Amino acid sequence: MFSAVHRLLLERHSILCLPFPASEQAQPAAWLQALDLEWAALGFVANAALRARLARLSAEDLRATQEFVSARLAWITGAAQRHRPLFQNFPHGLENPDAMWTQRFLSHFFQDPDQPCLFCCRHGSTHVLSPCRHVVCGHCYDGREYAGCPVCGARVDTESAFFQPPAARPPGQARPILKLIYPGELQDEAQDMFLRLCARTQVMTPLDVEDLQILSQSLGEDWASRLPPAIPVRENVAHVFGALLKKFPPQEVLTQARSYQVSVTDILRLIAAYCGADPALMPQLQWRRINDPRGLEGEHGRSFLRRSNDYLRSYVQRNKVLPYRIQRFHVAKMGRPLRRALLAALESFPAQAMLEDMQRQRSLWVWLGEFLHPHEYAARYPNTAQGFASVRRRSPQGARAPKVRSWASRVEQARAQADLAQLLHLLRQRPGEFGRRLDHILRSAAPPQQEQIMQACQELLPALPTPMLLTLLAHLPARSHTQALRLYWPKGGQARCFSAPDQRALLPLPILQRMQSMLETCLLQRMAGAAPIQHMVLDRSLEQIATPFNQRTAARDAWQLPRGASLSLPMQGVLRLFLYWRQHQGQERADLDLSVAFYDSDWQYQGVCSYYDMVCVLQGRRIAHSAGDLTSAPWPQGASEFVDVNLPLAYALGVRYAVMVVNNYAGPPFEALESAYAGVMLRQDADGELFDPRSVATRFALSGGNGVFLPVVFDFFEARMHWLDVHAQGQFSMNNVENSKDSIAKICPDMMRYFALGVRPTMWQIGLLHAAARAQHVCVREGLGMRLYQRAEGEDAASFLQRLRAGGGEWRSDFPFAGQAVHGVLDHGDLNLAPQSKVWVMRPQTLVGNMTAADCLSMSLL
């Protein structure tokens, strides 16, 4: 039957691997047509090859396939849940919001179950709803319009006589593009996916980590032979072997892991991954109660209160608590064989390097020592015992151990003393640190010293990871002039950014030009080492799509949208935003709110559509309309909210920016809910099904703590949609647009300006480099046509790259590689390609794409 790996392949790459043998007799065409209709309602259709395989299944196997695929497709699009907002007839109704609020207020405070209705004075027309206990009149409140309590908006028992079936919805217009589902072989596809995850040159997303866990558990006894020769990112090494450690003998796993590890910190990361913690080893936030109120007057208390808003100050002073960041994570149970294997792995590292690296994470090693018990094996693993004694600052004999001077402190001393020779000597030991510090070193050095740095670059660039080379390639050309601002992305569990004026000294243009040439040469040489490509397709519109970065905080299930992506937005019809969340069974009430904030060209606040203003009116015209505010989402039904924005009318009334905002108003954080996701639908009109999975442009899961999530900004003047995927700090509760509109008006334009500066590498640059280094024939789609390029005999990668940039290829109105296997980096998946094609698609249409942006970075476009 279908396994978790079958589910992964279908959800991630639209590949269906059938676990059933073919039968001798084909099934009736009517059965397959019924299956086609069911999947088409969800926005998918089987391609010809898969349909032929489905026709040869037995009736029982076909039924099992239909149930499995339909359930997974419904989950992908968000149609698995029944979406019932507070106002079931949305977008119709709610003609007088002010009267509704007045009626709610009077019902809440003055309506008694034993008295006539306050408004119509009827006897016996009132109903007491459970569990909120509000009294509503069946005559004054239309039970066909509500899916929750009309007074408080809570989910209630709909078996009450008050509730009536909703009125039939008028049909809508829709011209959906159906996505193709392809057949595949389970073992081959799973192995390919596993290797591509291992080959990532960036930290895996939370969703990738979950996929890796499932794929690792599906490996057999030959798991060691299925590992790639290299895993570039240390955190990913920890994820891979932490997952394997849960299934296979620890000694075997740690023996294999040793060839991928370079320091004892990698062992620490592996333990964190095995325990379900983040191998980034970031401090954890804890709130600690202060028994003495004067503790707020200490250095930490004063510093926190100075940086907090009024709400946080009130919360801290009222509850007598302060936040502390601690270097600690929950350690899973480790048996004696696993502890011995870990201590043996630590012992295999050089003693001096071990002492130095353990000092860098001293607090964590002290904590782990309580679980690994290194003193029990001091005779067998003496260097390891000495290392733990060093971080405890005590020798095994009880004397105070000397503090080890770290590599980072020596680097900082060399920098402070302007000792360039010593600084370069140290940075040569860790090329990644050299790449991260390159800009600072160049602008701090005198012109004669910059030549020494360039020589070090020539030596160290081949050792840098591909994402860093691409980042430098995009970043350095912009350093010849002052930027409008700088953005900082602190390492953390959710995406937050801070901006500041650009006050850096400029770099000389000749140095930057030499660096750009060196970086391009290094990248082309690296990409040329991969397998050659016969046909490649690129979309020039990807010039505004930044490559993914800060992947550990990327929104889950956001399909292929990298943070900072700017997409075209059709300005006809209706923009429908949706939010769904569900509490765990027995969990406290969770109240999320979906809002849209509107701004003009100068980011001056114009209005909002939210729980406290359900209809946004500008110049007497409705530009946005809410489906109501549900204030709880009990298990199992959950809660849904919708907001419709009239695109042409908002544009005509001078609104430029619309910001989608998801607020945590009350209850547990996003990540503590059983399910929470939001998304965007592009509708031709507001009628038809309330939730049409075929019109979903993107859907993303909600994660992180309490606060404000800003996923996307719509620019109506430029007809663009900017995917930001960033959190604002907000408050512990009662978050809304009103108390965060100033933060929104700063964060959103800063991020949009930052990505528009071109200081981040784009998917167009990556595709262009792959094409120049590896492809024989390249097709570049531009607008309504395309240009075809062919590599000349003996033409090197640098010359071909220059020709691709200059344009001038053969103009074609038809696609020259139709039906052929190609490699592609595409904006729209609307091409007719052979199933063997390997493509990254940002906006799935008929093609969903079987590659990720991270695969393109890791040279897996093979």
Side-chain angles (χ1 to χ4, degrees):
M1 292 298 289
F2 293 99
S3 65
V5 180
H6 288 92
R7 173 180 62 79
L8 283 186
L9 294 171
L10 179 62
E11 293 175 0
R12 304 293 180 264
H13 303 305
S14 198
I15 295 174
L16 177 60
C17 302
L18 294 172
F20 308 116
S23 63
E24 297 180 359
Q25 185 176 2
Q27 299 301 328
W31 290 17
L32 294 177
Q33 290 172 1
L35 184 145
D36 289 340
L37 290 173
E38 183 173 341
W39 292 356
L42 296 169
F44 291 82
V45 65
N47 81 333
L50 177 58
R51 203 171 189 278
R53 292 195 189 185
L54 292 171
R56 305 301 301 182
L57 296 180
S58 67
E60 183 179 348
D61 293 344
L62 184 62
R63 185 181 302 107
T65 301
Q66 174 264 332
E67 292 175 353
F68 168 76
V69 174
S70 297
R72 299 325 305 168
L73 295 183
W75 184 89
I76 292 171
T77 57
Q81 291 79 27
R82 184 184 179 190
H83 294 274
R84 297 181 62 198
L86 181 61
F87 303 137
Q88 296 192 93
N89 293 329
F90 173 80
H92 306 287
L94 195 60
E95 298 300 329
N96 192 338
D98 293 336
M100 180 201 69
W101 286 113
T102 301
Q103 189 179 19
R104 280 184 166 186
F105 177 84
L106 295 175
S107 297
H108 176 75
F109 285 102
F110 301 109
Q111 182 67 64
D112 188 84
D114 298 325
Q115 67 183 24
C117 173
L118 291 173
F119 309 103
C120 67
C121 299
R122 282 182 169 85
H123 289 272
S125 63
T126 58
H127 304 268
V128 180
L129 302 183
S130 175
C132 66
R133 308 303 298 170
H134 282 119
V135 182
V136 295
C137 173
H139 176 75
C140 299
Y141 292 100
D142 190 347
R144 297 173 302 172
E145 292 190 356
Y146 290 93
C149 175
V151 178
C152 67
R155 281 289 196 199
V156 293
D157 182 8
T158 55
E159 296 299 320
S160 169
F162 166 74
F163 295 100
Q164 302 295 323
R169 300 183 62 82
Q173 301 178 8
R175 291 192 297 271
I177 299 175
L178 302 181
K179 305 174 183 67
L180 290 174
I181 306 175
Y182 294 92
E185 298 300 327
L186 183 66
Q187 292 298 328
D188 295 341
E189 299 291 349
Q191 176 66 8
D192 181 62
M193 187 176 180
F194 177 74
L195 290 177
R196 283 193 277 119
L197 286 173
C198 293
R200 292 284 169 85
T201 53
Q202 290 182 311
V203 176
M204 294 184 194
T205 67
L207 195 61
D208 290 336
V209 175
E210 292 182 11
D211 295 350
L212 180 69
Q213 297 275 355
I214 293 172
L215 292 169
S216 299
Q217 295 305 306
S218 69
L219 296 176
E221 295 301 322
D222 62 340
W223 63 272
S225 63
R226 295 182 177 272
L227 294 173
I231 302 177
V233 181
R234 295 185 182 184
E235 290 182 34
N236 294 349
V237 172
H239 283 305
V240 170
F241 288 97
L244 293 172
L245 206 55
K246 297 176 182 179
K247 182 176 180 180
F248 300 104
Q251 187 60 51
E252 295 180 15
V253 173
L254 291 171
T255 300
Q256 289 290 335
R258 183 63 184 87
S259 60
Y260 298 86
Q261 296 166 335
V262 298
S263 72
V264 295
T265 305
D266 294 333
I267 301 290
L268 185 59
R269 297 183 193 276
L270 188 151
I271 296 173
Y274 172 77
C275 296
D278 188 353
L281 307 178
M282 294 178 292
Q284 304 297 312
L285 182 66
Q286 281 192 355
W287 289 86
R288 295 181 179 176
R289 182 168 296 279
I290 303 173
N291 296 324
D292 184 357
R294 290 175 299 178
L296 295 175
E297 300 175 3
E299 181 180 352
H300 178 65
R302 291 198 309 273
S303 174
F304 177 78
L305 293 174
R306 185 171 57 251
R307 293 180 285 109
S308 303
N309 56 32
D310 293 339
Y311 180 90
L312 284 178
R313 292 191 194 98
S314 173
Y315 179 87
V316 166
Q317 292 168 350
R318 183 174 66 253
N319 295 280
K320 301 298 186 294
V321 292
L322 275 177
Y324 290 86
R325 293 195 175 275
I326 61 170
Q327 282 283 60
R328 188 170 294 183
F329 56 80
H330 174 73
V331 179
K333 183 178 180 181
M334 294 187 290
R336 192 174 292 270
L338 175 56
R339 288 191 285 115
R340 282 200 302 264
L342 288 170
L343 292 172
L346 290 170
E347 190 71 16
S348 65
F349 289 92
Q352 184 60 32
M354 178 195 299
L355 293 174
E356 181 178 326
D357 286 334
M358 290 181 79
Q359 290 293 335
R360 297 172 62 196
Q361 300 288 346
R362 177 177 173 271
S363 179
L364 276 173
W365 284 114
V366 170
W367 170 245
L368 279 178
E370 300 181 17
F371 300 90
L372 293 177
H373 307 301
H375 58 280
E376 295 182 7
Y377 302 93
R380 188 185 301 183
Y381 309 119
N383 292 335
T384 302
Q386 181 61 39
F388 278 96
S390 174
V391 294
R392 290 196 304 268
R393 304 285 169 83
R394 294 287 176 184
S395 68
Q397 293 76 27
R400 189 168 184 82
K403 185 176 180 179
V404 180
R405 190 180 176 199
S406 67
W407 177 88
S409 67
R410 299 199 300 272
V411 169
E412 289 304 317
Q413 181 181 18
R415 185 192 62 81
Q417 296 175 352
D419 188 348
L420 182 63
Q422 176 66 7
L423 181 61
L424 293 178
H425 170 72
L426 291 168
L427 292 176
R428 280 187 172 92
Q429 301 171 15
R430 299 183 182 179
E433 284 295 323
F434 173 80
R436 282 183 280 273
R437 292 172 177 263
L438 179 58
D439 187 314
H440 184 259
I441 297 171
L442 281 171
R443 68 175 183 263
S444 301
Q449 296 177 316
Q450 289 176 346
E451 186 59 36
Q452 300 180 47
I453 300 173
M454 297 298 291
Q455 294 175 3
C457 282
Q458 192 75 43
E459 173 189 344
L460 294 175
L461 285 183
L464 299 185
T466 302
M468 185 175 290
L469 292 174
L470 287 165
T471 299
L472 290 172
L473 183 63
H475 166 80
L476 289 175
R479 292 287 289 111
S480 62
H481 53 277
T482 302
Q483 303 294 333
L485 77 165
R486 296 180 66 185
L487 248 61
Y488 302 89
W489 297 87
K491 195 174 181 180
Q494 58 191 37
R496 290 196 174 121
C497 68
F498 301 92
S499 62
D502 185 5
Q503 299 177 340
R504 296 168 295 180
L506 300 181
L507 297 178
L509 186 58
I511 291 291
L512 296 177
Q513 291 173 339
R514 284 180 60 190
M515 281 298 309
Q516 186 173 15
S517 176
M518 291 165 56
L519 288 164
E520 276 190 358
T521 301
C522 184
L523 282 165
L524 289 172
Q525 290 175 350
R526 182 172 299 182
M527 293 181 177
I533 295 172
Q534 188 65 26
H535 303 303
M536 189 161 183
V537 186
L538 304 175
D539 279 347
R540 186 174 287 275
S541 56
L542 294 175
E543 289 177 318
Q544 300 188 56
I545 307 302
T547 56
F549 71 101
N550 207 15
Q551 287 289 81
R552 66 168 58 85
T553 61
R556 292 165 49 91
D557 305 330
W559 291 353
Q560 296 283 9
L561 288 180
R563 184 177 288 118
S566 174
L567 293 75
S568 60
L569 175 70
M571 288 301 295
Q572 299 83 28
V574 173
L575 181 70
R576 178 166 292 174
L577 312 179
F578 62 90
L579 166 67
Y580 175 84
W581 75 103
R582 182 172 62 216
Q583 303 156 199
H584 287 282
Q585 191 169 9
Q587 190 177 34
E588 63 178 303
R589 180 178 72 95
D591 183 4
L592 305 187
D593 289 312
L594 174 64
S595 305
V596 183
F598 298 99
Y599 296 83
D600 64 12
S601 295
D602 298 322
W603 282 94
Q604 296 299 312
Y605 182 66
Q606 299 294 297
V608 67
C609 185
S610 186
Y611 72 90
Y612 55 89
D613 199 349
M614 295 187 184
V615 177
C616 184
V617 179
L618 290 181
Q619 302 177 29
R621 307 285 298 278
R622 290 189 176 193
I623 64 169
H625 189 177
S626 170
D629 174 37
L630 287 170
T631 58
S632 65
W635 187 91
Q637 67 267 37
S640 299
E641 293 186 8
F642 295 87
V643 172
D644 273 7
V645 179
N646 188 320
L647 291 171
L649 183 57
Y651 172 80
L653 295 179
V655 173
R656 176 162 188 178
Y657 301 109
V659 184
M660 181 181 183
V661 185
V662 181
N663 293 297
N664 189 317
Y665 185 83
F670 295 131
E671 61 191 7
L673 297 170
E674 184 191 65
S675 177
Y677 61 82
V680 178
M681 285 186 279
L682 300 176
R683 307 277 295 241
Q684 290 183 302
D685 60 21
D687 292 325
E689 291 295 328
L690 188 62
F691 185 90
D692 186 352
R694 301 170 300 174
S695 66
V696 174
T698 185
R699 186 189 80 101
F700 45 89
L702 304 177
S703 60
N706 300 81
V708 181
F709 182 39
L710 309 173
V712 62
V713 174
F714 303 95
D715 183 344
F716 297 151
F717 285 15
E718 299 290 339
R720 307 293 297 178
M721 181 174 75
H722 299 270
W723 174 249
L724 301 187
D725 187 17
V726 67
H727 287 76
Q729 183 175 358
Q731 305 173 158
F732 291 110
S733 62
M734 303 181 69
N735 292 292
N736 56 35
V737 171
E738 189 62 32
N739 58 35
S740 59
K741 61 184 180 183
D742 292 338
S743 298
I744 294 172
K746 175 173 175 54
I747 293 173
C748 295
D750 281 357
M751 287 191 64
M752 292 165 63
R753 282 196 295 267
Y754 170 78
F755 287 110
L757 291 173
V759 295
R760 300 291 312 177
T762 65
M763 294 304 298
W764 163 253
Q765 288 176 297
I766 294 176
L768 210 59
L769 290 167
H770 274 290
R774 305 168 58 193
Q776 290 297 317
H777 303 88
V778 180
C779 179
V780 178
R781 296 201 295 178
E782 302 176 4
L784 299 178
M786 54 199 75
R787 295 189 181 274
L788 181 63
Y789 302 83
Q790 181 173 348
R791 187 188 297 272
E793 185 175 356
E795 186 174 19
D796 61 15
S799 302
F800 197 24
L801 176 63
Q802 185 176 2
R803 192 152 62 90
L804 289 172
R805 283 177 174 159
E810 177 190 353
W811 182 257
R812 299 284 296 266
S813 59
D814 61 320
F815 181 50
F817 309 141
Q820 301 183 46
V822 305
H823 293 69
V825 182
L826 305 177
D827 184 353
H828 295 274
D830 55 355
L831 294 177
N832 175 26
L833 303 179
Q836 298 78 20
S837 300
K838 294 190 176 182
V839 293
W840 175 79
V841 180
M842 187 178 66
R843 284 186 272 197
Q845 293 182 357
T846 54
L847 283 174
V848 174
N850 52 12
M851 308 293 289
T852 68
D855 294 331
C856 300
L857 287 172
S858 58
M859 305 303 161
S860 294
L861 193 66
L862 303 178

